[in-house]
Amino acid sequence: MSDTSQSMYMNWMQELIKHSPMQEWMKNAGAGVQNPFAPDSSILASLKEYGAEIDPAVLTRLQSEYFIELGNLWKDFIAAKLPQFDDRRFSSSNWHEQTNHAYNVAIYLLNARFLSLLAESVQAPEKKKQKIRFAVQQMVDAMSPANFLATNPEAQAKLIETKGESLMSGIALMLEDLQKGRISLTDESAFEVGKNVATTEGSVVFENRLFQLIQYKPLTKTVHQRPLLMMPPCINKFYILDLQPENSLVRYAVEQGHTVFLVSWANPDQSMSDITWDDYIEQGAIKAIEVAQEISKQDKLNVFGFCVGGTIVSTALAVLADRGNHPASSLTLLTTLLDFSNTGVLDVFVDELQVSMREQTLGHGGLMPGRDLASTFSSLRPNDLVWNYVQSNYLKGQKPPAFDLLYWNSDSTNLPGPMFCWYLRNTYLENSLKIPGKLTVAGNKVDLSKIDAPVFIYGSKEDHIVPWQAAFASMSLLNPKKKTRNSFVLGASGHIAGVINPASKNKRNYWINDQSAVDAQSWLDAATECPGSWWPQWATFLKENAGKMVKAPAKLGAVGYSELESAPGRYVKVRAD
């Protein structure tokens, strides 16, 4: 682009800004985020309205430091010295080489940092303070100059380079997403469930209104005597565990010689709006255990739960234990909460007021829409799951590339209102599941310590949904008198990427420690870091509890359990939107 063209374009953009509704906001902001100490600062006003106080001495000190740093930026500007910053949102040279954009970013980052310091300085109970921090961070992320065409030089350059085509494409993509009711994270036309995701061969061998049970076809001539029953979360589709052959945990288990059964939860509609937590335990998890036992003719199963699926299956095993039944040869829990003392940032969405409101609207019937749940989880990582796509899709007109994990992430599920409300109150709000005998589920007292099986617990180090320390807390709830039966593995990365770390790719790393520890940090301090995937560690644990090798079954199902349809079945294909 010539200097003349660039000058004309920048003059045009400045005129757009001058006459836009954003002008008043940006006047005090330097970028999107408002000067936190401006006389008419809405930030301070909002904090006061929320009942949050800041020590006047602290406020004066922060204000003084802010204006010193702002003055230093002004001096650099006068001296024609470009500011330096290191933020991946502004990594392109366009942000660093053009004076107006560089200072726009510098002032945005300055304002954002002091807003965070203000939120950190409020005098309030920790739960209220956490909500303030979260709300401020949401605003800070939303007002990044990268999120607006008028202040994003990359999008502006793209507009000129394509002679306006990028803007037209961006508008078209935005209109498509408005119809969907969500932001597109990937090229959804590139995937089809059962065609190129969820493709491990098998059959549905049982179904009721809550779930279908899939049995997978053996890939080895002999299999372990005891089967593996996998319980995925009901808040998402099961195929996160079976994306494509190279990153499928289901296929990996089958390749290790296990007969694998997997629960595919129904995506609830209004006909299921009365389903309770008890139903998920009795008609869901316990029924799946019974069917897997009958088909395999084995009393003992290796039982597996992921996220909410782990909470469900642990509750079911505790209910069965109270009935004198112990069907688990082993229990695997991946990124699972049993002790809800530390729920990370999700805690901002759970308090008595919010739970009571849900109970009033959904507790006696209704659906928690999948799109609402998806929006909640996206808000936990807005730069990665919202604003990144606003910039690339809408401002630059770039169609998102195909990515199987993000396709799954967008394939949301509804939840029955009564089940959802019970779960919120009794776990997240009141943390009753960990207290022996406090809860009665499906007619039985729940005592997790009665589960009689070796346990493999996995946590992800950067998990923002189930903090790894919270996953580790299950170590003291299960086998409390036989702690050597429990093992914990810590993997790198987050809630999903940490779990889906195929052994064949040998990426990332994980930590192990065979010695017992009083708390999570003590465990980590003495742990050994290992390269690659944690999957082989789990495979060893599973093998030790899977019994002898026997001839692989010639056909799937059994008498009374015929093959109803091919995997992945109908239920997983029902979309919430």
Side-chain angles (χ1 to χ4, degrees), residues 349-421:
F349 296 105
V350 183
D351 57 29
E352 180 61 43
L353 177 62
Q354 294 183 76
V355 173
S356 295
M357 288 175 61
R358 291 291 186 191
E359 289 172 335
Q360 290 172 18
T361 56
L362 299 174
H364 301 290
L367 291 179
M368 179 63 186
R371 68 173 66 90
D372 290 356
L373 291 167
S375 296
T376 297
F377 285 111
S378 292
S379 73
L380 304 181
R381 294 171 54 205
N383 285 329
D384 292 331
L385 295 177
V386 178
W387 301 118
N388 176 51
Y389 294 96
V390 167
Q391 295 159 28
S392 60
N393 296 11
Y394 309 154
L395 301 189
K396 300 177 186 176
Q398 298 170 344
K399 192 172 184 178
F403 187 16
D404 55 3
L405 193 150
L406 290 177
Y407 175 78
W408 164 84
N409 188 73
S410 300
D411 193 2
S412 57
T413 59
N414 303 320
L415 287 178
M419 173 269 192
F420 178 65
C421 291

Side-chain angles (χ1 to χ4, degrees), residues 214-287:
I214 298 170
Q215 181 181 3
Y216 289 96
K217 183 178 179 181
L219 293 173
T220 52
K221 292 182 178 179
T222 59
V223 295
H224 290 281
Q225 187 177 25
R226 296 170 182 159
L228 169 65
L229 172 63
M230 304 182 83
M231 193 82 56
C234 55
I235 202 168
N236 298 107
K237 301 290 184 70
F238 81 78
Y239 63 90
I240 186 58
L241 299 170
D242 185 33
L243 287 170
Q244 298 187 72
E246 63 271 17
N247 60 359
S248 168
L249 187 59
V250 169
R251 185 178 178 87
Y252 178 77
V254 176
E255 290 172 342
Q256 301 301 307
H258 297 283
T259 298
V260 177
F261 293 90
L262 182 142
V263 169
S264 172
W265 296 106
N267 196 343
D269 56 19
Q270 286 298 333
S271 70
M272 301 174 66
S273 63
D274 61 338
I275 288 181
T276 65
W277 180 263
D278 282 18
D279 294 328
Y280 269 82
I281 301 305
E282 189 73 75
Q283 300 175 30
I286 291 176
K287 187 62 180 178

Side-chain angles (χ1 to χ4, degrees), residues 140-155:
V140 165
D141 292 341
M143 296 310 297
S144 164
N147 298 338
F148 302 95
L149 180 60
T151 52
N152 186 322
E154 296 177 72

Side-chain angles (χ1 to χ4, degrees), residues 55-76:
D55 185 328
V58 172
L59 184 60
T60 299
R61 176 177 58 79
L62 289 176
Q63 189 173 25
S64 175
E65 292 173 359
Y66 172 81
F67 282 112
I68 288 172
E69 294 197 30
L70 187 62
N72 289 335
L73 272 178
W74 176 249
K75 290 177 184 177
D76 287 345

Side-chain angles (χ1 to χ4, degrees), residues 434-470:
K434 74 170 187 175
I435 302 172
K438 184 174 181 180
L439 295 177
T440 298
V441 176
N444 291 88
K445 294 292 185 181
V446 176
D447 183 349
L448 296 171
S449 69
K450 289 185 178 180
I451 297 174
D452 184 17
V455 181
F456 180 98
I457 300 172
Y458 168 85
S460 289
K461 198 172 187 182
E462 298 167 28
D463 196 336
H464 60 293
I465 295 173
V466 179
W468 77 267
Q469 297 90 341

Side-chain angles (χ1 to χ4, degrees), residues 297-344:
K297 298 180 174 59
Q298 294 293 313
D299 292 333
K300 295 284 188 179
L301 316 172
N302 289 295
V303 180
F304 166 109
F306 177 25
C307 190
V308 182
T311 309
I312 289 173
V313 81
S314 297
T315 304
L317 290 175
V319 166
L320 289 174
D322 195 54
R323 298 174 184 174
N325 186 358
H326 298 278
S329 175
S330 74
L331 174 61
T332 296
L333 297 176
L334 307 185
T335 62
T336 292
L337 287 171
L338 300 181
D339 180 343
F340 288 73
S341 301
N342 175 13
T343 57

Side-chain angles (χ1 to χ4, degrees), residues 165-182:
E165 286 296 323
S166 62
L167 181 59
M168 297 301 294
S169 297
I171 292 172
L173 291 171
M174 184 173 65
L175 291 174
E176 288 178 16
D177 285 354
L178 284 172
Q179 288 186 324
K180 292 179 185 176
R182 54 185 166 79

